[in-house]
Amino acid sequence: MKQANMKVRNILMTTSLLSLAGGHVNAQERPNIVIIYLDDMGYSDISCYGQKKWSTPHIDRLAQEGVRFTDAYSASPVSSPSRAALLTGRYPARMGIQGVFYPDSYTGIPQEELLLSELLKPAGYATGIVGKWHLGSRDKFLPLQNGFDEYFGIPYSNDMGAQVYLRGNEVEDFHVDQSQMTKKYTAEAKDFISRHKDKPFFLYLAHNMMHVPIFCSEEFRGKSAAGIYSDAVLEIDWSVGEVVKELEKQGILENTLIIFASDNGPWLQEGPLGGEALPLREGKTTSYEGGVRIPSIAYWKGRITPVERKDIISTMDWYPTIAHVCNVDIPGNIRLDGYDLSDLLLNNGKRASDAYAYFRDNKDVTGLRVGDWKITLPQAEIKGNFWRTGTAAHDTLLFNLKNDPAERVDLFKKNPSKAKEMATQLDKYKSGFGDVPPALVMTGNHQSEYLRRQRREAIEKAVKEGIQSKENQTDGFEER
């Protein structure tokens, strides 16, 4: 009750600030916001980021006509923390979100946090989410209790427990056909746009793809000639095109800021069912570049000049950026980690900071990038398992990411002056970060994922041996 009351107070404070500072703006003048958020999509999974085996023309269009960021970061290499950061503009460590939430978790997004949906709603925005939530599945943690007017989707990852579609707070379908999921989400997103075209809206389209198990509809199966994963990427690209087409149809594309990004790097352990992060090192679950550097595009027809930017940005930046372009004030008691990018987007300006902090298990600051340089503190060996990448032990590492994005050449001993400078900046950042709250209790375990991994291995073995069965023909390893 205390947390809920704190959330109410924050919302009331935001409403009061809006009436004082932003209420004079005509609602029609406020832009629409569409965030398209992918799950586990790798840095080089789309053609405008270097993919050569298949093409993603609709996403490429956003990049060609908008801003394509080469050095964009998620706040975390795993799902729940990254989503919390996107919607709050804050590092997940500040919220105690150190891991992912499960269907049986008793915890979720802290109720004192003011989500982007709660920031925009008092300004007259219709707020909707379609797709993956993953910030708690108990009633008070669901979207409708956290600033969203509408919700349709799976409230957690698509490999967790029994899959259900929620509409609002209620289960609409206990039998999810994941092969139709991308098309279903796309239809729901288009419907939301068409129903709210006459007022400003915030649409958060959070696809479950590209998380395993991988699915696509029959229309896209085999279309890439490169496997089920790339087939599913093509369907995601089609979905992006459909959303843009709907905005054009409704005559509101010129008044809509579209943000495209992934929540973290690819799940490389899944082999052909995981994506690619080339030329970056490692992937999901790690704080190497492949785990947290992501494809990120901003598109606003007629407002953003097409350009490629090498500035360091993070998904946390979208919170203050959206607040600014929507003329909504952020309460002064919120400590943000994101920076307003509106001057960068609209006036070819600069981000206020050229730094990004890396966290180990979303708890401790263990690395810092400033400009081209990245320093990483020592780490003991992490033994890999069926869900987490194993990484070797290492001492303090220093990389020049401009020259070495793959993090292959450690310059710590070769460049002692830069090492000392970066170590000093890292210490200063850590000391100024503030207290980290205790981790939220995460119940649940990976037992179902473990059983699924065993099943995948059995199917893969059957495929190698040339045994034809119904299961090895599905590729995506669906669970009915």
Side-chain angles (χ1 to χ4, degrees):
M1 179 65 72
K2 181 178 178 182
Q3 286 184 328
N5 287 339
M6 290 179 69
K7 169 153 281 197
V8 169
R9 286 200 297 272
N10 269 333
I11 295 172
L12 290 175
M13 181 186 301
T14 304
T15 306
S16 176
L17 286 168
L18 283 168
S19 64
L20 291 173
H24 65 279
V25 175
N26 188 312
Q28 294 294 335
E29 296 176 5
R30 300 185 190 272
N32 306 308
I33 305 296
V34 175
I35 297 178
I36 303 175
Y37 211 48
L38 276 294
D39 196 355
D40 291 0
M41 174 172 270
Y43 184 80
S44 57
D45 278 349
I46 49 185
S47 46
C48 61
Y49 279 87
Q51 183 54 245
K52 302 298 184 185
K53 289 176 285 186
W54 57 84
S55 179
T56 51
H58 299 293
I59 300 172
D60 290 356
R61 174 193 171 185
L62 299 185
Q64 291 161 3
E65 299 178 12
V67 179
R68 185 180 79 89
F69 293 98
T70 62
D71 293 58
Y73 289 89
S74 170
S76 169
V78 291
S79 185
S80 294
S82 73
R83 290 159 198 275
L86 170 73
L87 292 176
T88 64
R90 289 156 49 81
Y91 273 113
R94 297 196 189 282
M95 299 174 258
I97 301 179
Q98 297 178 11
V100 300
F101 298 108
Y102 290 85
D104 60 348
S105 294
Y106 288 94
T107 49
I109 184 74
Q111 296 299 283
E112 61 268 27
E113 295 295 331
L114 189 69
L115 276 63
L116 185 57
S117 49
E118 294 167 316
L119 191 68
L120 296 178
K121 188 172 180 177
Y125 274 76
T127 55
I129 170 175
V130 175
K132 177 179 176 179
W133 174 239
H134 213 186
L135 291 176
S137 51
R138 302 283 168 173
D139 187 73
K140 71 176 180 178
F141 301 121
L142 290 172
L144 265 57
Q145 285 68 255
N146 289 275
F148 285 98
D149 298 319
E150 302 178 26
Y151 174 50
F152 177 84
I154 298 174
Y156 32 77
S157 290
N158 63 320
D159 66 335
M160 289 183 172
Q163 298 303 306
V164 298
Y165 279 143
L166 292 188
R167 188 172 298 278
N169 295 321
E170 304 298 328
V171 176
E172 179 173 285
D173 194 344
F174 286 95
H175 305 285
V176 174
D177 181 355
Q178 291 200 44
S179 70
Q180 300 303 308
M181 183 166 55
T182 297
K183 284 193 170 181
K184 181 69 174 173
Y185 286 172
T186 305
E188 291 284 337
K190 292 169 65 176
D191 178 64
F192 180 89
I193 292 169
S194 68
R195 287 186 290 106
H196 297 289
K197 62 181 182 295
D198 296 324
K199 65 179 293 187
F201 62 78
F202 166 42
L203 171 62
Y204 176 32
L205 174 54
H207 285 284
N208 282 88
M209 293 294 109
M210 305 301 301
H211 195 292
V212 295
I214 301 296
F215 290 89
C216 69
S217 65
E218 190 64 32
E219 177 184 348
F220 287 88
R221 184 174 291 277
K223 190 171 183 178
S224 71
I228 183 68
Y229 185 92
S230 49
D231 292 344
V233 171
L234 296 191
E235 188 160 34
I236 288 293
D237 181 68
W238 163 85
S239 173
V240 170
E242 288 295 296
V243 170
V244 173
K245 190 184 303 181
E246 184 65 28
L247 292 167
E248 289 177 313
K249 175 184 175 182
Q250 301 301 338
I252 55 176
L253 183 62
E254 290 81 359
N255 195 39
T256 302
L257 170 61
I258 302 175
I259 296 161
F260 175 93
S262 178
D263 67 342
N264 47 247
W267 208 348
L268 298 180
Q269 292 135 289
E270 298 299 321
L273 299 182
E276 299 178 2
L278 298 174
L280 309 177
R281 181 174 178 178
E282 301 296 347
K284 177 179 176 175
T285 77
T286 79
S287 59
Y288 287 108
E289 292 297 288
V292 288
R293 200 190 297 194
I294 55 171
S296 184
I297 300 166
Y299 172 91
W300 192 349
K301 185 176 181 180
R303 295 293 305 275
I304 291 178
T305 301
V307 68
E308 175 185 284
R309 295 293 298 246
K310 298 185 181 299
D311 311 65
I312 297 168
I313 72 158
S314 86
T315 52
M316 294 176 289
D317 296 338
W318 296 123
Y319 187 99
T321 303
I322 290 169
H324 183 98
V325 300
C326 295
N327 199 27
V328 176
D329 289 305
I330 299 171
N333 63 332
I334 296 179
R335 182 176 179 179
L336 293 177
D337 295 296
Y339 295 88
D340 179 6
L341 301 178
S342 58
D343 190 47
L344 183 157
L345 295 176
L346 304 176
N347 303 312
N348 198 33
K350 292 284 187 180
R351 185 179 187 251
S353 170
D354 65 347
Y356 168 83
Y358 303 78
F359 284 73
R360 192 162 297 155
D361 293 326
N362 300 290
K363 178 182 178 183
D364 301 315
V365 180
T366 56
L368 185 70
R369 177 177 180 179
V370 181
D372 296 334
W373 292 89
K374 174 181 179 178
I375 188 169
T376 303
L377 294 178
Q379 174 183 287
E381 178 187 6
I382 295 178
K383 294 186 180 298
N385 52 36
F386 61 92
W387 71 273
R388 179 170 184 158
T389 299
T391 53
H394 62 73
D395 205 336
T396 305
L397 302 173
L398 181 70
F399 299 108
N400 184 306
L401 294 177
K402 180 179 180 181
N403 301 329
D404 181 26
E407 299 175 279
R408 292 176 178 168
V409 182
D410 176 20
L411 300 174
F412 187 81
K413 293 182 179 179
K414 295 180 180 179
N415 197 334
S417 61
K418 178 58 71 172
K420 182 177 180 180
E421 174 192 334
M422 289 295 295
T424 299
Q425 293 195 61
L426 176 57
D427 287 341
K428 182 179 180 180
Y429 185 91
K430 289 181 66 176
S431 63
F433 188 78
D435 295 332
V436 174
L440 295 173
V441 177
M442 308 287 179
T443 62
N445 56 56
H446 286 279
Q447 182 179 13
S448 60
E449 287 84 345
Y450 175 69
L451 295 173
R452 201 168 286 114
R453 168 58 67 90
Q454 287 185 317
R455 182 166 174 254
R456 280 198 292 268
E457 290 175 349
I459 294 171
E460 288 167 357
K461 180 180 179 181
V463 171
K464 289 180 181 179
E465 293 175 351
I467 300 173
Q468 297 300 313
S469 68
K470 180 180 179 181
E471 283 189 315
N472 70 39
Q473 291 172 17
T474 62
D475 291 325
F477 311 111
E478 60 255 49
E479 185 175 24
R480 300 291 183 181

